[in-house]
Protein backbone atom coordinates (compact mmCIF):
# COMPACT_ATOMS: atom_id res chain seq x y z
CA UNK A 1 0.00 0.00 0.00
CA UNK A 2 0.96 3.62 -0.44
CA UNK A 3 1.81 5.45 2.77
CA UNK A 4 1.83 9.27 2.63
CA UNK A 5 3.20 11.79 5.11
CA UNK A 6 2.39 15.48 5.36
CA UNK A 7 3.71 18.58 7.13
CA UNK A 8 6.10 17.85 10.04
CA UNK A 9 5.45 14.11 9.79
CA UNK A 10 6.87 14.25 6.25
CA UNK A 11 9.84 16.29 7.49
CA UNK A 12 10.63 13.94 10.38
CA UNK A 13 10.42 10.82 8.25
CA UNK A 14 12.21 12.52 5.38
CA UNK A 15 9.97 11.54 2.50
CA UNK A 16 6.47 12.39 1.23
CA UNK A 17 5.39 8.84 0.40
CA UNK A 18 6.50 5.28 0.07
CA UNK A 19 5.18 1.87 -0.85
CA UNK A 20 4.94 -0.39 2.19
CA UNK A 21 4.54 -4.16 2.08
CA UNK A 22 2.64 -5.07 5.21
CA UNK A 23 0.38 -7.64 6.78
CA UNK A 24 -0.86 -5.11 9.35
CA UNK A 25 -4.52 -5.59 10.18
CA UNK A 26 -5.18 -2.19 11.70
CA UNK A 27 -3.65 1.28 11.41
CA UNK A 28 -2.15 0.76 14.86
CA UNK A 29 -0.39 -2.42 13.65
CA UNK A 30 1.06 -0.46 10.74
CA UNK A 31 2.23 2.30 13.10
CA UNK A 32 3.97 -0.35 15.26
CA UNK A 33 5.71 -1.81 12.19
CA UNK A 34 6.89 1.62 11.08
CA UNK A 35 8.08 2.51 14.60
CA UNK A 36 10.32 -0.58 14.61
CA UNK A 37 12.04 0.45 11.39
CA UNK A 38 14.23 3.38 12.34
CA UNK A 39 14.58 6.14 14.89
CA UNK A 40 13.06 8.77 12.57
CA UNK A 41 9.84 6.73 12.32
CA UNK A 42 9.76 6.14 16.07
CA UNK A 43 10.16 9.88 16.55
CA UNK A 44 7.43 10.80 14.05
CA UNK A 45 5.00 8.35 15.66
CA UNK A 46 5.97 8.99 19.28
CA UNK A 47 2.79 10.88 20.20
CA UNK A 48 -0.28 9.62 18.38
CA UNK A 49 -2.50 12.24 19.99
CA UNK A 50 -0.64 14.75 17.78
CA UNK A 51 -1.40 12.73 14.64
CA UNK A 52 -4.36 12.14 12.36
CA UNK A 53 -4.82 9.36 9.82
CA UNK A 54 -6.73 9.14 6.55
CA UNK A 55 -7.58 5.88 4.78
CA UNK A 56 -8.11 6.20 1.03
CA UNK A 57 -8.42 9.97 1.52
CA UNK A 58 -11.10 9.77 4.23
CA UNK A 59 -10.37 10.81 7.80
CA UNK A 60 -10.23 7.70 10.02
CA UNK A 61 -8.71 6.53 13.31
CA UNK A 62 -5.90 4.32 14.59
CA UNK A 63 -8.18 1.41 15.47
CA UNK A 64 -9.54 1.19 11.91
CA UNK A 65 -9.03 -1.90 9.75
CA UNK A 66 -6.70 -1.73 6.76
CA UNK A 67 -8.63 -4.33 4.81
CA UNK A 68 -8.92 -3.23 1.18
CA UNK A 69 -7.16 0.06 1.91
CA UNK A 70 -4.74 1.25 -0.79
CA UNK A 71 -3.61 4.61 0.58
CA UNK A 72 -2.82 5.53 4.19
CA UNK A 73 -1.84 9.08 5.12
CA UNK A 74 -0.42 10.37 8.41
CA UNK A 75 -0.41 14.05 9.28
CA UNK A 76 -0.78 16.54 12.14
CA UNK A 77 -4.15 18.16 12.94
CA UNK A 78 -5.21 20.24 9.96
CA UNK A 79 -4.90 24.02 9.85
CA UNK A 80 -6.99 25.19 6.92
CA UNK A 81 -9.06 28.32 6.47
CA UNK B 1 -21.41 24.07 -6.14
CA UNK B 2 -17.96 25.28 -7.10
CA UNK B 3 -14.84 24.03 -5.30
CA UNK B 4 -11.43 25.35 -6.32
CA UNK B 5 -8.06 24.34 -4.89
CA UNK B 6 -5.32 26.38 -6.50
CA UNK B 7 -1.97 28.05 -5.96
CA UNK B 8 -2.89 31.11 -8.08
CA UNK B 9 -4.47 34.22 -6.54
CA UNK B 10 -8.22 34.68 -7.05
CA UNK B 11 -10.25 37.83 -7.67
CA UNK B 12 -12.80 38.00 -4.86
CA UNK B 13 -14.86 40.64 -6.69
CA UNK B 14 -15.03 38.70 -9.93
CA UNK B 15 -15.77 35.45 -8.10
CA UNK B 16 -18.54 37.07 -6.06
CA UNK B 17 -20.09 38.65 -9.17
CA UNK B 18 -19.98 35.34 -11.01
CA UNK B 19 -21.42 33.48 -8.02
CA UNK B 20 -24.28 35.94 -7.57
CA UNK B 21 -25.32 36.04 -11.19
CA UNK B 22 -28.45 34.47 -12.65
CA UNK B 23 -30.24 33.44 -9.46
CA UNK B 24 -33.98 34.14 -9.26
CA UNK B 25 -34.60 32.71 -5.79
CA UNK B 26 -31.65 34.14 -3.92
CA UNK B 27 -32.28 36.90 -1.42
CA UNK B 28 -28.98 36.68 0.42
CA UNK B 29 -25.40 36.20 -0.60
CA UNK B 30 -22.73 35.93 2.10
CA UNK B 31 -19.00 35.88 1.38
CA UNK B 32 -16.10 35.37 3.73
CA UNK B 33 -12.50 36.02 2.69
CA UNK B 34 -9.52 34.77 4.66
CA UNK B 35 -6.32 36.81 4.51
CA UNK B 36 -2.79 35.82 5.55
CA UNK B 37 -2.19 37.72 8.79
CA UNK B 38 1.30 38.59 9.97
CA UNK B 39 2.38 37.39 13.41
CA UNK B 40 2.23 39.80 16.37
CA UNK B 41 5.91 40.72 15.98
CA UNK B 42 5.43 41.40 12.28
CA UNK B 43 8.35 39.15 11.33
CA UNK B 44 6.59 36.76 8.99
CA UNK B 45 7.91 36.88 5.45
CA UNK B 46 5.77 34.10 4.00
CA UNK B 47 3.17 31.49 4.79
CA UNK B 48 3.51 28.13 3.10
CA UNK B 49 0.39 26.04 2.73
CA UNK B 50 0.76 22.35 2.12
CA UNK B 51 -2.21 20.19 1.18
CA UNK B 52 -3.16 16.64 0.28
CA UNK B 53 -4.07 16.64 -3.42
CA UNK B 54 -7.08 14.43 -3.99
CA UNK B 55 -8.25 14.35 -0.40
CA UNK B 56 -8.47 18.16 -0.27
CA UNK B 57 -11.03 18.34 -3.08
CA UNK B 58 -12.99 15.42 -1.60
CA UNK B 59 -13.03 16.94 1.89
CA UNK B 60 -14.10 20.38 0.64
CA UNK B 61 -16.86 18.84 -1.47
CA UNK B 62 -18.05 16.77 1.51
CA UNK B 63 -18.11 19.86 3.77
CA UNK B 64 -20.00 21.92 1.16
CA UNK B 65 -22.45 19.05 0.59
CA UNK B 66 -23.05 18.83 4.33
CA UNK B 67 -23.80 22.58 4.40
CA UNK B 68 -26.33 22.09 1.60
CA UNK B 69 -27.97 19.29 3.57
CA UNK B 70 -28.28 21.39 6.72
CA UNK B 71 -29.42 24.64 5.10
CA UNK B 72 -31.49 25.41 2.07
CA UNK B 73 -28.79 26.87 -0.14
CA UNK B 74 -29.05 27.79 -3.79
CA UNK B 75 -25.29 27.58 -4.26
CA UNK B 76 -21.96 27.21 -2.44
CA UNK B 77 -18.49 28.38 -3.46
CA UNK B 78 -15.21 27.41 -1.80
CA UNK B 79 -11.79 28.59 -3.01
CA UNK B 80 -8.68 27.64 -1.05
CA UNK B 81 -5.11 28.36 -2.07
CA UNK B 82 -1.94 26.40 -1.38
CA UNK B 83 1.75 27.14 -1.91
CA UNK B 84 3.70 30.22 -0.84
CA UNK B 85 1.76 33.31 0.23
CA UNK B 86 2.78 36.58 1.85
CA UNK B 87 1.00 38.53 4.61
CA UNK B 88 -1.93 40.48 3.20
CA UNK B 89 -2.67 37.99 0.44
CA UNK B 90 -6.06 36.36 0.18
CA UNK B 91 -5.81 32.74 1.14
CA UNK B 92 -9.37 31.50 0.77
CA UNK B 93 -13.00 32.46 0.33
CA UNK B 94 -16.40 30.90 0.80
CA UNK B 95 -19.71 32.16 -0.53
CA UNK B 96 -23.22 30.97 0.16
CA UNK B 97 -26.44 31.90 -1.60
CA UNK B 98 -29.83 31.35 0.00
CA UNK B 99 -33.38 32.70 -0.01
CA UNK B 100 -32.85 34.36 3.36
CA UNK B 101 -29.81 35.75 5.15
CA UNK B 102 -29.93 33.51 8.22
CA UNK B 103 -29.23 30.35 6.22
CA UNK B 104 -26.53 32.09 4.18
CA UNK B 105 -24.73 33.44 7.28
CA UNK B 106 -24.99 30.22 9.26
CA UNK B 107 -23.85 28.04 6.36
CA UNK B 108 -20.83 30.30 5.72
CA UNK B 109 -19.92 30.13 9.43
CA UNK B 110 -20.30 26.34 9.38
CA UNK B 111 -18.10 26.06 6.27
CA UNK B 112 -15.37 28.12 7.92
CA UNK B 113 -15.39 26.07 11.11
CA UNK B 114 -15.09 22.85 9.15
CA UNK B 115 -12.47 24.18 6.72
CA UNK B 116 -10.27 25.07 9.69
CA UNK B 117 -9.91 21.56 11.05
CA UNK B 118 -11.38 19.07 8.57
CA UNK B 119 -9.77 20.07 5.28
CA UNK B 120 -6.23 18.71 4.79
CA UNK B 121 -4.22 21.92 4.73
CA UNK B 122 -1.18 22.65 6.89
CA UNK B 123 0.20 26.14 7.37
CA UNK B 124 3.84 26.96 8.00
CA UNK B 125 5.06 30.41 8.99
CA UNK B 126 8.36 31.57 7.60
CA UNK B 127 10.09 34.26 9.65
CA UNK B 128 13.60 35.66 9.84
CA UNK B 129 14.26 33.14 12.64
CA UNK B 130 13.21 30.13 10.61
CA UNK B 131 10.13 28.11 9.72
CA UNK B 132 7.46 26.82 12.04
CA UNK B 133 4.33 24.72 11.48
CA UNK B 134 1.21 26.42 12.75
CA UNK B 135 -0.33 24.32 15.53
CA UNK B 136 -4.04 23.55 15.42
CA UNK B 137 -5.99 25.38 18.11
CA UNK B 138 -8.18 23.58 20.63
CA UNK B 139 -10.73 26.35 20.02
CA UNK B 140 -11.03 25.32 16.39
CA UNK B 141 -11.84 21.74 17.33
CA UNK B 142 -14.22 23.01 20.01
CA UNK B 143 -15.98 25.21 17.43
CA UNK B 144 -17.20 22.12 15.56
CA UNK B 145 -19.37 21.14 18.53
CA UNK B 146 -21.59 24.15 17.86
CA UNK B 147 -22.96 22.37 14.81
Amino acid sequence: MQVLYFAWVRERIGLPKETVETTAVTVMDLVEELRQREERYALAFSDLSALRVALDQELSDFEASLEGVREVAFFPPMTGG
Amino acid sequence: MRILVQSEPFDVGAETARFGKGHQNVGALVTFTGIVRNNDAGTMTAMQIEHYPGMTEKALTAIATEAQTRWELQDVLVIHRHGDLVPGEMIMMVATAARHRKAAFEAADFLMDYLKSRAPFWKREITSEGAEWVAAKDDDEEALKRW
Side-chain angles (χ1 to χ4, degrees), chain B residues 32-120:
Chain B
F32 172 87
T33 310
I35 298 170
V36 180
R37 187 184 61 239
N38 209 323
N39 58 24
D40 292 343
T43 56
M44 189 166 84
T45 53
M47 177 171 273
Q48 294 178 339
I49 299 162
E50 182 170 331
H51 80 120
Y52 182 172
M55 181 175 167
T56 308
E57 292 79 359
K58 279 186 196 174
L60 295 179
T61 304
I63 293 166
T65 303
E66 179 64 24
Q68 285 183 317
T69 309
R70 293 182 183 219
W71 291 275
E72 210 176 298
L73 302 175
Q74 260 63 41
D75 206 357
V76 181
L77 166 70
V78 179
I79 303 176
H80 204 304
R81 294 177 64 192
H82 57 86
D84 289 7
L85 283 80
V86 296
E89 265 194 278
M90 289 177 189
I91 179 170
M92 54 85 58
M93 75 173 285
V94 301
T96 53
R99 291 181 68 84
H100 302 288
R101 72 175 186 276
K102 195 164 188 285
F105 271 120
E106 284 182 7
D109 203 9
F110 168 90
L111 286 168
M112 285 314 305
D113 277 348
Y114 271 79
L115 284 175
K116 281 259 168 211
S117 37
R118 290 293 182 273

Side-chain angles (χ1 to χ4, degrees), chain B residues 2-23:
Chain B
R2 188 162 131 95
I3 308 287
L4 295 173
V5 180
Q6 61 186 47
S7 56
E8 305 79 40
F10 57 88
D11 180 336
V12 68
E15 290 295 344
T16 305
R18 176 193 165 126
F19 182 75
K21 227 176 185 173
H23 295 291

